[in-house]
Amino acid sequence: MIFENKFPGKDISNEDLLSKFPLAAKKSVGHKSKITIGDVEFGGEMIPIFAGPNMVESRELILETARNVKKAGAHFLRGGAFKPLTFPYRSAKYNETREKGIEWLAEAKKETGIKIITEVMEEKYIPLISEVADILQIGSRNMQNYPFLSACAKTGKPIMLKRHYGASLRDWLGAAEYILIEGNSNLILCERGVSVPHTHRATSRYMLDLQVVPAAQEVTHLPIVTDPSHATFWRAWVEPMSLASVAAGADGIMLEVHPNPSESAVDPLQPIDFQEFGHLMKKMNEIAKCLGRRVL
Ligand code: PEP
Ligand code: MN
């Protein structure tokens, strides 16, 4: 079959669905992938929640967070031991905890039973991180690093692919196809905010593209999660955008939760504390119930 790309562009054509990302494309109206990781399922009635600090700063921090978010009903502990930072200068506070951080995540998992999602930034660390992580997180900055996507896919582990803040849904599904083509279908998408002219506050960096949730669900069978923390960069907006994400049909929510948010080594304006997280879990569950789904 020969396809002519008559309308190349940022939006999705039928031809794209047939020839550019046939594996990511939805095949029929009800076609939706269910991704099962132990007792957690993405793409069904359950809306799994990832919670934890931006960075795995210390053993104490990650253990305390694991215990508290697990108690509140979180399904996964999040946190970067390997962290992409926008600027290369790192004070002691910003230092990545790397292999140590991965050990502490393993300890948190062993003690509490919570599942782990953590970012992989470099191919050489894939084996180490794969031993502990239940989901490999590919960060927004690596979204189009195609050889890296293939290397992660080849592990066969579940993957969460974050959207780059400048990428269209079409670009994003193109990247997803690089993972699916390796035979790894355990793939979850994560919307984490896009660059737009107006973000309403001087401190805002991104805008949560909530519209991409139904837009993605129209064309792909892959589950889609939102990350209101990175998108809003502002604590007070995390709750409304999390509730809105559930209402919009998101298949999971990623949240930054820290014992002392203002003390967070990275991005201290965005994490919520344990108490706020507990309340939010209950509220998200109420919205989910209206839609025949559940968070708790
Ligand atoms: C993160 O989840 O900590 C992170 C770095 O996210 P992003 O890749 O979306 O910036
Ligand atoms: Mn972060």
Side-chain angles (χ1 to χ4, degrees):
M1 213 179 322
I2 295 168
F3 291 99
E4 283 178 52
N5 198 358
K6 289 199 192 90
F7 308 107
K10 66 184 177 60
D11 295 324
I12 294 167
S13 67
N14 281 335
E15 193 178 308
D16 291 336
L17 296 172
L18 290 169
S19 66
K20 300 284 196 292
F21 36 83
L23 300 174
K26 203 165 156 174
K27 298 288 177 292
S28 59
V29 176
H31 181 200
K32 189 161 180 180
S33 279
K34 288 203 168 62
I35 293 169
T36 306
I37 305 170
D39 56 354
V40 177
E41 189 180 70
F42 292 84
E45 62 145 359
M46 190 173 195
I47 303 176
I49 306 297
F50 309 96
N54 196 314
M55 190 155 90
V56 181
E57 296 171 40
S58 68
R59 178 175 175 271
E60 292 64 37
L61 172 100
I62 209 66
L63 288 174
E64 184 187 357
T65 308
R67 290 178 196 126
N68 280 278
V69 300
K70 167 91 176 163
K71 201 160 63 187
H75 306 87
F76 285 81
L77 177 66
R78 64 141 284 142
F82 294 86
K83 279 288 321 160
L85 291 173
T86 306
F87 306 104
Y89 309 108
R90 297 179 190 237
S91 64
K93 195 177 171 191
Y94 282 92
N95 268 342
E96 293 172 296
T97 49
R98 302 171 77 85
E99 289 88 344
K100 271 268 160 256
I102 298 296
E103 263 176 44
W104 298 330
L105 286 170
E107 196 178 336
K109 179 173 173 171
K110 195 164 172 215
E111 185 195 302
T112 65
I114 198 163
K115 295 178 177 54
I116 304 289
I117 177 165
T118 193
E119 178 162 353
V120 196
M121 282 178 58
E122 289 175 77
E123 193 171 334
K124 66 180 176 196
Y125 293 110
I126 294 175
L128 171 81
I129 297 174
S130 296
E131 274 177 38
V132 174
D134 297 279
I135 301 181
L136 301 178
Q137 174 172 325
I138 299 180
S140 55
R141 292 155 183 87
N142 265 319
M143 188 199 92
Q144 287 180 313
N145 183 348
Y146 302 125
F148 180 66
L149 301 185
S150 306
C152 288
K154 282 180 184 143
T155 62
K157 295 219 63 125
I159 291 176
M160 186 175 85
L161 179 65
K162 291 189 108 177
R163 178 188 184 186
H164 186 269
Y165 37 84
S168 64
L169 175 56
R170 186 174 190 261
D171 296 334
W172 193 12
L173 293 177
E177 194 79 3
Y178 275 90
I179 293 169
L180 298 171
I181 208 169
E182 297 297 340
N184 188 341
S185 55
N186 291 316
L187 178 59
I188 300 157
L189 302 172
C190 176
E191 155 58 26
R192 47 77 73 212
V194 290
S195 288
V196 293
H198 309 291
T199 48
H200 323 306
R201 281 185 55 86
T203 51
S204 297
R205 294 166 87 186
Y206 310 109
M207 169 84 71
L208 182 65
D209 180 7
L210 264 188
Q211 197 162 308
V212 83
V213 174
Q217 288 170 347
E218 206 167 70
V219 292
T220 180
H221 55 89
L222 298 170
I224 177 166
V225 165
T226 70
D227 173 352
S229 305
H230 283 84
T232 61
F233 206 67
W234 187 238
R235 185 162 19 265
W237 297 355
V238 168
E239 174 170 314
M241 289 300 97
S242 301
L243 298 176
S245 295
V246 174
D251 298 305
I253 314 282
M254 171 166 269
L255 291 161
E256 274 195 13
V257 181
H258 193 285
N260 301 297
S262 58
E263 301 284 304
S264 174
V266 184
D267 301 342
L269 300 179
Q270 75 193 23
I272 54 174
D273 65 22
F274 298 145
Q275 201 184 9
E276 289 164 328
F277 178 66
H279 291 313
L280 179 54
M281 287 294 279
K282 293 195 180 92
K283 287 192 191 176
M284 288 191 292
N285 196 46
E286 289 305 308
I287 307 259
K289 278 199 254 172
C290 298
L291 299 166
R293 301 183 83 181
R294 67 187 169 89
V295 165
L296 293 170

